[in-house]
Amino acid sequence: MQILTLLHKGFCDATVARQLGIGHRTVQRKVQQLMEILEAKGRVALGAQAQRLGLLSDDSSRRGAPMTAQQGMGSS
């Protein structure tokens, strides 16, 4: 579940691996397994399916998400 949560927050595989203290390829393998288990055809579908099944919470799962370039620009 930690992998799903971190991916949902917007972190890449390498960052997820560092956060969890596991290898980058291990994260990729686990994501592939989760996609098979949840019958998701891609990463976006994996997130949507996990959300539908209640594996991710709406409010807490986005807390601490990395800032996008657009958010960092602010309004002028």
Side-chain angles (χ1 to χ4, degrees), residues 31-50 52:
V31 169
Q32 199 61 33
Q33 291 170 348
L34 287 167
M35 287 171 53
E36 289 175 18
I37 291 167
L38 298 181
E39 299 178 358
K41 299 207 185 279
R43 286 171 175 254
V44 172
L46 176 62
Q49 182 71 335
R52 262 193 301 279

Side-chain angles (χ1 to χ4, degrees), residues 3 7 11-33 43:
I3 290 175
L7 289 175
F11 295 111
C12 68
D13 291 351
T15 302
V16 171
R18 278 192 302 276
Q19 291 278 325
L20 299 178
I22 60 178
H24 169 246
R25 289 184 180 255
T26 300
V27 171
Q28 291 177 330
R29 204 168 28 255
K30 295 291 186 185
V31 169
Q32 199 61 33
Q33 291 170 348
R43 286 171 175 254

Side-chain angles (χ1 to χ4, degrees), residues 1-13 15-16 19-20 43 47 51 56-68 71:
M1 288 313 154
Q2 290 176 319
I3 290 175
L4 271 177
T5 300
L6 291 171
L7 289 175
H8 187 65
K9 286 182 177 183
F11 295 111
C12 68
D13 291 351
T15 302
V16 171
Q19 291 278 325
L20 299 178
R43 286 171 175 254
Q51 191 74 42
L56 301 169
S57 63
D58 286 329
D59 56 336
S60 64
S61 63
R62 295 306 251 171
R63 199 171 301 141
M67 185 179 293
T68 65
Q71 289 171 326

